[in-house]
Amino acid sequence: MPKSEVSLGVNDNSARSGRSPVFIATLITLFVAPALIPLAVIPKALQAIPSDAASYIRETPFDAAGYLARAQELAQLPGGSMDVLATLRIGQRLAPTDPLMLDAAIRSMLREGNATDAFASIKTLSTVLQGNGHTFAALDEHIGDEVWTQVVGLAVSSKWSGVSGYVEHLCRRDARTGQTNSLRILLAAGGDTPVSQDALLCVEGYLLGRGQIDSAYQLRLLFVTQTQRRVDFVFNGDFETPLSGSVFDWTIDSGGEFRDGFAAQIATAAGSSTRNKALEVRFTGRPIKGVPAKQTLVLPPGQYQFTYEALDENFAASAAPGFFLRCIGATDNLLGPADQRQTAGTNWVRRTSNFAVSNRCGGQALTFEPLTRLSGLEGIRGTVYVDKVAISRVK
């Protein structure tokens, strides 16, 4: 290996001669001795490798790369696994945050079935690499093995924050082994381990892609209870919680006033200082393209009542938009005629509809849109605020 690659910043004899004996003695005490002592635990440490490699290690006891090279050479020898691990441990002591050393040590520990030390090193590597995918490269090679199961068990039982990153990594890794195991780890975590929205959305998308709407919904419920005390049939019906990106939460299409015929956002509700956030949709009179707001529901068979509050501004008679509820894959609106009542002391109205869900309706789409196809094609003009969207079961 070129001498320039292993320089410690002492480039000439004049620089060396300027060091005092006390300074050199201090260096030996603090660095050289601790580094050289562990060499004694490696059987025949420098006898089984080429002389140039041995010289390199002797001359640069602070360079972890030398120990990594030494370990790679030992790995080619029969029965040298313990020597490999011992060498890597020395390298880790010299460079405890070096990614290459950590990765090599993790691989060696996993091969030896040492789940405890492998997990500890994975946590360190995750911190060093800030959780990027390479953290788990060594672990991926053992998916399904006993040592992999043990490492994952340690991660889940200790509620390690890196579980979230590994779930997302597995989910995006492939469409078979990775995604299946990402779901299993989430279920094992059981809502007790913090999981990022990205990880949860990836697994949710995997289930939805397989047509398992109910399973995806149950997964969402399992983890939404980390932040929500109450979960209703309609999630975030008051629009107060930041949007999660899940299909079981609101998907708001911001639209475009000229391009799409509307502009939608979650904003401070109009008309009352006591109200907080609401859905605001402004229709511009141009043909409407898209759906301002939608959410996927998973209602079991039964009888229900749907309610929401609205404040309509400047719409022509009977032109205000409203909600539709359809079984996924169907076009018929499940919602019956709405009963409308003014809320006391405000300009808001409360609209109520009764409906039924059959056992053939395995998932529903709740959308906010113009009430007729013609009004959507021609466009409508006005602004509407929507709040307190809720569904309650009647029987």
Side-chain angles (χ1 to χ4, degrees), residues 105-117:
I106 291 167
R107 293 176 187 276
S108 180
M109 293 167 185
L110 291 173
R111 286 194 298 268
E112 295 299 313
N114 186 347
T116 301
D117 288 345

Side-chain angles (χ1 to χ4, degrees), residues 25 44 51 57 125 130 163 201 233 253 268 288 295 324 337 341 351 358 378:
K44 301 180 181 179
S51 59
I57 294 174
L125 183 60
Q130 299 183 347
V163 168
L201 289 174
F233 288 117
D253 183 350
T268 302
I288 297 170
Q295 181 174 153
F324 288 75
R341 296 183 181 181
R351 295 179 178 136
S358 71
E378 293 180 344

Side-chain angles (χ1 to χ4, degrees), residues 131-141 143 162-174 178-179 182 198-199 202:
N132 72 31
H134 187 71
T135 299
F136 311 109
L139 195 57
D140 284 350
E141 298 178 5
I143 290 177
V163 168
S164 180
Y166 189 45
V167 166
E168 184 178 357
H169 168 75
L170 281 176
C171 181
R172 300 187 187 284
R173 182 173 177 267
D174 58 51
Q179 291 181 335
S182 65
D198 288 340
C202 183

Side-chain angles (χ1 to χ4, degrees), residues 157-236:
S157 62
S158 65
K159 299 181 182 180
W160 178 46
S161 60
V163 168
S164 180
Y166 189 45
V167 166
E168 184 178 357
H169 168 75
L170 281 176
C171 181
R172 300 187 187 284
R173 182 173 177 267
D174 58 51
R176 296 172 297 172
T177 304
Q179 291 181 335
T180 301
N181 282 295
S182 65
L183 173 60
R184 290 175 179 171
I185 295 173
L186 275 185
L187 295 177
D192 293 330
T193 301
V195 175
S196 70
Q197 284 296 326
D198 288 340
L200 190 56
L201 289 174
C202 183
V203 179
E204 179 182 293
Y206 160 66
L207 292 171
L208 291 172
R210 301 181 63 182
Q212 299 179 9
I213 298 175
D214 188 66
S215 296
Y217 181 66
Q218 295 301 323
L219 184 69
R220 168 63 51 174
L221 290 181
L222 179 64
F223 286 92
V224 79
T225 53
Q226 292 179 353
T227 56
Q228 301 293 316
R229 294 182 179 180
R230 176 180 174 182
V231 179
D232 299 313
F233 288 117
V234 178
F235 183 72
N236 199 9

Side-chain angles (χ1 to χ4, degrees), residues 5 18 25 27 31 66-67 90 96 106 133 146 148 152 160 178 183 211 228 234 239 266 272 285 308 389:
E5 294 185 13
L27 279 182
F31 298 106
Y67 292 93
I90 295 173
I106 291 167
E146 182 179 355
W148 178 86
V152 170
W160 178 46
L183 173 60
Q228 301 293 316
V234 178
F239 300 96
I266 296 177
S272 174
Y308 71 99
V389 184

Side-chain angles (χ1 to χ4, degrees), residues 9 16 26 35 43 66 69 95 102-103 114 144 148 152 159 189 212 226 245 248 308 325 335 339 341 353 382-383:
R16 290 190 183 94
T26 301
L102 286 165
D103 181 71
N114 186 347
W148 178 86
V152 170
K159 299 181 182 180
Q212 299 179 9
Q226 292 179 353
F248 303 112
Y308 71 99
L325 183 65
L335 298 177
D339 174 55
R341 296 183 181 181
S353 300
T383 300

